[in-house]
Amino acid sequence: MREAGGGESGDELARPRPAQAPPRLPPSRPAGSSCESERSRTRAHSPLTMSLLDLHYQQLGDARWAELLPLMRQAPVVRLVDCGVTGGRCKDVSAALRDNAALTELSLSSNELGDTGTHLVLQGLQPACKVQKLSLQNCNLTEAGCGPLSGVLRSLPALRELDLSYNQLQDAGLRLLCEGLMDPQCHIEKLQLEYSNLTADSCEALAALVRAKPELKDLGVSNNDIGEAGARMLCRGLADSTCPLESLRLESCGLTAANCADLSAIVAAKPSLSELQLGNNKLGDAGIAALCPGLLSPGSRLKTLWLWECDFTASACKDLCRVLGAKESLRELSVAGNAVGDEGARLLCESLRDPSCRLESLWIKSCSLTAACCQHVSAMLAQNRSLQELQMSSNNLGDAGMEELCQGLSQPGTTLRVLSVGDCEVTDQGCTSLAALLLANHSLIDLDLSNNCMSEVGVMKLAESAQQPSCPLEKLVLYDIYWREETEDQLRAVEEKKPGLQIIC
């Protein structure tokens, strides 16, 4: 019997990237495994060349560390992510970087550098350093480390991207950091500050920063409790700024419906904005209604809109449907974790049947859906020619709903490539419909059926169809489904028979 874990969480409601939502710190190892070890594939993929030092999730002994130091002195790209680099080795890193005139990217994410270790590393970045990307995500950096970092930022005119997420910077640290970023010699374009323990007290400094930096394109402040007042200050700064903002991430920030008019104005005023992430904020139906005028404005060119767990209902779907019908630029939409119900799904599907709608990815996970909505989803899938990804997991669709979906996907010309229906009460009966679908459909390459109620019989029906040469499926995800060792051996045999198929379990 086999068991593999994969619970649902905030980011899983929102998007497929990253695979799992972080708690307070990001996972230090890749989530999930398959009949071939996912971790061994990751390590095998870590390249070591004169131009690229890229290692992830490795504990480096002294001998191996000594081998890497010459590469650190000359590789333009140095990534040592979760490699057990601690303060004791930071002197080595600093010395190596001081000799590296070609360095353009440095990532030491998920290493316990601390403030002292980080300071040592930064000393290796000389004023002539050409580094463009610097990631110190999850390095145990605190307010005390922000002063030295601020000073270094003043001497790195080539730096364009800075990631300090998952460090306890706090408001005082952020203010110190902004002093360095405000320097005229600093031309930052992308700033990531997720999970930095910030509050509204940080937002005045952030607002001043965005006003002063006409180059800023990407700002991530998600998972900081800046609240309604902090978001208002930040929006005022963005409204005053001439920066060509492309991505704004404010998920889990304590926003309310009162912030949505300001956000709407920013969307309308910045045609450069292509990504807006507002998940896990209590916006409600009123907030979505206030946001949509900006989305509908002639200046809006938004491509990605994440509204997972924003506390709205089918009523808000009416407003979103007007956006879907009017804005061909919109490509990705998540309303996951909102109780839109079957009526909300029906409304969205009607909009997706309009040829002017070009949406490619729709997330309606955990939306209180039942089999009753599947006839509308099925009809949409049979007709729509742009949707490539549909995430419907954690809805009570059952076998009847699955049969409806399969009917739509069996029609000629369907374009869906990714279907997630995990935790949808699917049994062996539903697997029969899906197995037939895999032989009839020519577009589906990724199918997630995790945490459903099928037995080994249903699993093998799927595997038998998936191994056929005519089946295009590349990934079959079966987390949290139980079977005997013999069945696992059979699944491995299927993977060996068809190397292009990955069965993740």
Side-chain angles (χ1 to χ4, degrees), residues 36 44 51 61 98 111 156 160 192 208-209 226 303 323 330 343 348-349 351 365 381 383 387 396 411 422 461 474 496:
E36 174 191 356
S51 62
R98 193 174 291 114
N111 291 290
L156 296 176
R160 296 295 181 267
Q192 294 177 257
L209 178 66
I226 63 173
K303 295 180 180 179
V323 177
L330 192 62
E343 175 62 11
L348 292 169
C349 287
S351 294
K365 298 178 71 170
L381 291 171
Q383 185 174 338
L387 193 69
N396 189 16
Q411 300 306 307
K461 283 181 182 178
E474 298 174 3
E496 291 173 3

Side-chain angles (χ1 to χ4, degrees), residues 381-385 407-415 440 442:
L381 291 171
Q383 185 174 338
N384 183 284
R385 293 296 178 266
Q407 288 177 4
L409 286 169
S410 296
Q411 300 306 307
T414 56
T415 58
H442 300 295

Side-chain angles (χ1 to χ4, degrees), residues 56-334:
H56 296 244
Y57 321 117
Q58 297 194 21
Q59 296 303 307
L60 305 173
D62 291 341
R64 179 64 168 149
W65 182 252
E67 292 175 359
L68 296 177
L69 289 176
L71 285 172
M72 275 188 239
R73 293 188 176 95
Q74 52 193 314
V77 176
V78 176
R79 302 188 194 112
L80 298 174
V81 177
D82 196 359
C83 286
V85 181
T86 59
R89 283 179 169 171
C90 289
K91 286 184 180 180
D92 294 339
V93 176
S94 182
L97 296 179
R98 193 174 291 114
D99 295 335
N100 190 340
L103 186 69
T104 59
E105 179 179 346
L106 174 64
S107 176
L108 295 173
S109 296
S110 297
N111 291 290
E112 296 182 6
L113 308 184
D115 294 324
T116 302
T118 300
H119 189 196
L120 286 171
V121 170
L122 294 174
Q123 287 177 340
L125 301 178
Q126 296 298 308
C129 180
K130 301 174 184 177
V131 67
Q132 299 173 16
K133 298 180 181 181
L134 177 60
S135 178
L136 298 171
Q137 181 188 111
N138 190 24
C139 286
N140 288 351
L141 186 65
T142 71
E143 172 193 340
C146 290
L149 176 56
S150 180
V152 170
L153 291 174
R154 293 182 170 93
S155 62
L156 296 176
L159 188 66
R160 296 295 181 267
E161 300 183 15
L162 178 62
D163 186 354
L164 297 174
S165 301
Y166 301 94
N167 290 294
Q168 296 298 301
L169 307 182
Q170 303 187 72
D171 298 328
L174 190 279
R175 286 192 289 269
L176 287 171
L177 181 68
C178 285
E179 289 177 8
L181 292 169
M182 290 280 284
D183 191 282
Q185 293 300 311
C186 182
H187 304 285
I188 200 73
E189 295 179 0
K190 182 175 182 179
L191 180 61
Q192 294 177 257
L193 298 166
E194 286 87 352
Y195 286 102
S196 293
N197 200 18
L198 308 179
T199 72
D201 291 341
S202 301
C203 291
E204 185 175 351
L206 273 177
L209 178 66
V210 298
R211 288 188 184 99
K213 292 295 158 183
E215 307 96 344
L216 190 66
K217 296 179 180 178
D218 189 308
L219 180 61
V221 194
S222 293
N223 296 288
N224 289 289
D225 191 18
I226 63 173
E228 183 181 309
R232 187 177 298 115
M233 277 190 282
L234 182 55
C235 284
R236 286 173 183 166
L238 288 168
D240 296 338
S241 172
T242 59
C243 69
L245 195 67
E246 296 175 0
S247 177
L248 178 61
R249 297 181 298 285
L250 294 171
E251 294 183 328
S252 304
C253 281
L255 277 59
T256 72
N259 296 118
C260 289
D262 290 337
L263 290 166
S264 178
I266 290 168
V267 173
K270 290 197 177 292
S272 58
L273 190 65
S274 62
E275 180 179 29
L276 181 61
Q277 298 183 13
L278 299 174
N280 197 25
N281 290 295
K282 300 297 184 183
L283 307 183
D285 293 337
I288 302 302
L291 180 64
C292 283
L295 300 173
L296 287 165
S297 69
S300 172
R301 299 289 185 273
L302 207 66
K303 295 180 180 179
T304 300
L305 179 61
W306 297 117
L307 297 170
W308 56 276
E309 287 192 1
C310 284
D311 200 30
F312 59 81
T313 69
S315 177
C317 291
K318 296 177 182 177
D319 295 302
L320 291 171
C321 285
R322 285 194 286 271
V323 177
L324 287 172
K327 287 294 178 179
E328 294 186 5
S329 63
L330 192 62
R331 294 291 189 266
E332 301 181 45
L333 173 65
S334 173

Side-chain angles (χ1 to χ4, degrees), residues 1-16:
M1 185 169 67
R2 170 90 172 183
E3 175 185 359
E8 186 163 46
S9 56
D11 253 12
E12 288 182 326
L13 286 174
R15 61 169 62 75

Side-chain angles (χ1 to χ4, degrees), residues 35-36 460 463-464 466-468 485-501 503:
C35 295
E36 174 191 356
M460 290 313 302
E464 288 166 9
Q467 71 179 329
Q468 298 305 313
E485 194 70 28
E486 299 92 304
T487 300
E488 186 173 343
D489 292 340
Q490 289 178 292
L491 293 175
R492 285 177 175 158
V494 169
E495 282 190 315
E496 291 173 3
K497 181 179 179 181
K498 192 173 183 181
L501 175 65
I503 301 176

